[in-house]
Amino acid sequence: MTKSFPTSRQPMPQWVKATVLALASGFALQGWSAPVDQEEKPAPAAIESAKPAADAKAAEEEKKGKLPLEELRTFTEVMQRIKSAYVEDVDDKTLLDNAIQGMLSGLDPHSAYLKPDDFKELEINTSGKFGGLGIEVGMEDGFIKVISPIDDTPAQKAGIQPGDLIIKLDDASVKGMSLMESVDKMRGKPGEPIKLTIVREGSPKPIDLVVKRDIIKVQSVKSRVLEDGYGYIRMSQFQSDSDKEVVEHLNKLKKSQNGKLNGLVLDLRNNPGGVLQAAVGVVDAFIKEGLIVYTKGRIPNSHLSFKADKDDPSDGIPLVVLINGGSASASEIVAGALQDHHRAVLVGTESFGKGSVQTVLPLSIDNEKGLKLTTALYYTPKGRSIQAEGIKPDIVVPRAKVTPVESVSGYKEADLQGHLTNGNKQAEKGKQDKGKQDKGKQKDESGSLAEQDYQLSQALNVLKGMHINTTWDKKKPTAIAEDPKETMKTATTL
């Protein structure tokens, strides 16, 4: 989830207090007309027709400034009916808190009313250390929807997948729970189990999974060498320093390859997002100039834009970005920007489609409480809003399981007795044998990668093609052994 918010303990900014007045502001154009001769006058009918339109506009502006009295009467009556007829006594504070929560949750899946504990929840989510299951979740039709499990957490190890709908927690239905309540229920002491009942697309009946809670320490960035010259960086989420970590891992990979990489795979699959500024920093590590992302909303400070600086730690190496349905928010900012700048080839499946930005607005009467409110939509450099649409990959590679097929025959021309040599200079036999061993080892590793992670193996193949294309020797052969015409005269069956 992409977050952009001021410190929760500070007084409410002045612009927030002015928002209500600003939203109701408007203007009218009066007394404007095209230049005319002094003797010419507008037709009386035109003047008469303009008056009702002006009156209607004024009435509309006046209506905007008034409270909806009829709806407030309905609200008051409903509250009184609950207090007098509900089976148990309910105090006013509980009813009003529930009303506020309902008001915000009815807007979209990401807006919420924040109590003091909820502020701590936000701080935990961005710190990278907390106790729980290790999943990023949202709400859909009253149930908990898994956006993605976090790498190396109990949720991932238990087999929870992006898109799963959690309908029960320890046999208690989540229907009617707020997102914060359900998250609180899933957290607990490390080692304590919790049973999740999930509905999964393609499964004929609900699935029960028992997951043991643990201290979740999220390492947001990891890296390794896939093959000689080709690096891999995995981002599980965007924390406050994730962009700096990406640059550190990039330099580490280059150092391990004697200062030069032939290409890099950036894996954003099942990355639910995180801090907006971290996403901007990651894109900036791969481009030298231009717009990265911009946001638009109704409040003044929701209009933001971020541009790249001249530094390019990646040195322009070929880049492939892996995405899937669990890539959301900040991940989509990175993927969309790199795609728009033609800096990377996107491989995988369509992303989640969360193109909104949430801002925490502390309440002026109580800084311990506030609103997490959707205040803006973000746009890629080319002006694309991916809200509810997602980022489409350049090359679609679905998740798949590969079963290797053994070769029928391993014999080649060189294995036949008495074969002719090709006349080229050959290295001594020891080097030939070593080359065969290295080639066989590389083939085994490539086959293993395809079996373990088909999407990643295909991303690596794309990356190799990009590298070959950038280093292709386009010069024509400089030496021909004999006249091609003479060769054709003596050609026989090949």
Side-chain angles (χ1 to χ4, degrees):
M1 178 180 70
T2 302
K3 306 180 186 74
S4 173
F5 53 88
T7 304
S8 60
R9 301 296 184 266
Q10 294 179 350
M12 176 179 282
Q14 199 63 31
W15 61 264
V16 176
K17 298 179 182 178
T19 300
V20 177
L21 294 176
L23 296 181
S25 66
F27 63 92
L29 297 176
Q30 298 179 356
W32 184 92
S33 63
V36 294
D37 295 335
Q38 291 183 355
E39 295 182 359
E40 294 181 357
K41 296 182 180 180
I47 297 175
E48 294 300 323
S49 63
K51 286 183 178 180
D55 292 342
K57 186 175 181 66
E60 184 179 348
E61 293 298 327
E62 185 180 354
K63 186 178 180 180
K64 284 182 181 179
K66 290 183 178 180
L67 291 173
L69 297 179
E70 194 63 34
E71 286 76 11
L72 287 175
R73 290 191 187 100
T74 302
F75 176 83
T76 304
E77 182 178 348
V78 170
M79 186 172 175
Q80 289 299 326
R81 292 286 181 93
I82 293 173
K83 291 183 67 176
S84 61
Y86 187 64
V87 66
E88 295 178 352
D89 288 334
V90 187
D91 60 84
D92 291 342
K93 183 180 182 302
T94 300
L95 288 175
L96 290 172
D97 276 352
N98 290 342
I100 295 171
Q101 290 174 19
M103 190 190 312
L104 286 154
S105 63
L107 296 174
D108 61 67
H110 310 291
S111 296
Y113 176 48
L114 300 179
K115 298 178 182 179
D117 289 343
D118 300 327
F119 275 119
K120 295 178 182 177
E121 183 80 18
L122 282 177
E123 293 171 0
I124 287 171
N125 283 339
T126 55
S127 67
K129 182 179 179 180
F130 53 90
L133 307 181
I135 50 176
E136 182 79 12
V137 294
M139 294 296 290
E140 183 175 289
D141 298 328
F143 296 109
I144 305 168
K145 183 172 184 178
V146 177
I147 296 175
S148 68
I150 299 172
D151 289 352
D152 303 322
T153 61
Q156 188 193 49
K157 293 172 184 176
I160 293 176
Q161 298 179 9
D164 285 349
L165 280 180
I166 301 174
I167 60 174
K168 290 183 181 179
L169 297 172
D170 279 338
D171 295 324
S173 175
V174 302
K175 196 75 172 177
M177 287 187 189
S178 69
L179 182 59
M180 295 297 182
E181 288 171 339
S182 60
V183 169
D184 187 59
K185 190 173 179 63
M186 284 188 279
R187 287 191 172 156
K189 293 181 180 179
E192 286 186 349
I194 181 173
K195 185 170 78 171
L196 308 181
T197 303
I198 65 173
V199 174
R200 180 175 294 165
E201 186 177 355
S203 179
K205 59 182 181 179
I207 303 169
D208 288 333
L209 294 175
V210 177
V211 187
K212 280 190 177 181
R213 298 176 176 92
D214 200 355
I215 297 296
I216 309 299
K217 297 178 181 178
V218 180
Q219 184 180 349
S220 65
V221 184
K222 299 177 183 178
S223 65
R224 73 176 193 267
V225 175
L226 294 174
E227 288 183 11
D228 288 345
Y230 296 96
Y232 170 82
I233 292 180
R234 162 67 183 161
M235 294 193 69
S236 58
Q237 64 179 162
F238 288 83
Q239 297 171 3
S240 54
D241 292 328
S242 294
D243 53 335
K244 298 180 181 67
E245 292 180 43
V246 166
V247 175
E248 289 172 2
H249 280 269
L250 185 58
N251 291 332
K252 179 182 175 183
L253 288 169
K254 287 194 289 188
K255 187 176 180 181
S256 71
Q257 300 299 300
N258 298 319
K260 183 173 177 60
L261 280 173
N262 295 332
L264 178 74
V265 175
L266 178 62
D267 191 351
L268 300 179
R269 291 174 297 176
N270 298 331
N271 183 325
V275 179
L276 172 63
Q277 285 77 7
V280 170
V282 170
V283 177
D284 196 14
F286 294 100
I287 64 175
K288 292 182 178 180
E289 60 181 359
L291 186 64
I292 294 174
V293 66
Y294 66 96
T295 64
K296 291 195 300 185
R298 298 173 67 194
I299 57 179
N301 75 336
S302 65
H303 293 262
L304 303 173
S305 64
F306 299 88
K307 296 182 179 180
D309 59 32
K310 295 181 180 179
D311 294 333
D312 181 12
S314 70
D315 297 326
I317 60 172
L319 178 66
V320 169
V321 177
L322 270 174
I323 59 172
N324 67 359
S327 306
S329 199
S331 296
E332 295 171 298
I333 289 176
V334 173
L338 293 174
Q339 188 180 51
D340 280 4
H341 281 280
H342 303 290
R343 178 62 184 86
V345 174
L346 270 54
V347 174
T349 55
E350 190 174 309
S351 64
F352 184 75
K354 180 183 179 293
S356 60
V357 180
Q358 282 67 48
T359 303
V360 172
L361 306 174
L363 298 182
S364 59
I365 58 173
D366 187 352
N367 286 332
E368 295 279 317
K369 299 179 181 179
L371 311 179
K372 185 182 72 171
L373 197 63
T374 299
T375 55
L377 296 178
Y378 70 75
Y379 298 82
T380 69
K382 289 187 176 181
R384 294 185 294 163
S385 171
I386 56 104
Q387 174 62 26
E389 288 190 11
I391 296 289
K392 293 177 175 58
D394 300 304
I395 302 175
V396 176
V397 178
R399 185 181 177 187
K401 187 175 182 180
V402 176
T403 303
V405 178
E406 293 184 4
S407 177
V408 177
S409 175
Y411 289 104
K412 295 183 178 181
E413 171 72 15
D415 299 316
L416 299 177
Q417 187 175 1
H419 70 272
L420 298 175
T421 60
N422 61 19
N424 293 335
K425 292 182 180 180
Q426 297 184 9
E428 56 271 15
K429 191 175 185 303
K431 290 186 178 180
Q432 286 181 348
D433 293 340
K434 185 178 183 302
K436 289 180 180 179
Q437 291 175 2
D438 292 342
K439 189 173 182 180
K441 181 180 177 182
Q442 187 178 24
K443 183 178 180 181
D444 291 341
E445 289 177 351
S446 178
S448 177
L449 181 62
E451 293 174 54
Q452 295 172 5
D453 191 337
Y454 175 69
Q455 290 177 317
L456 178 56
S457 71
Q458 294 305 298
L460 178 59
N461 288 336
V462 172
L463 195 60
K464 289 178 179 178
M466 294 169 66
H467 171 63
I468 291 171
N469 188 55
T470 58
T471 58
W472 195 276
D473 185 4
K474 297 181 180 180
K475 294 182 180 180
K476 294 181 180 180
T478 56
I480 299 177
E482 55 184 297
D483 188 346
K485 295 180 180 178
E486 294 298 323
T487 303
M488 292 298 296
K489 290 178 182 178
T490 58
T492 57
T493 303
L494 301 177

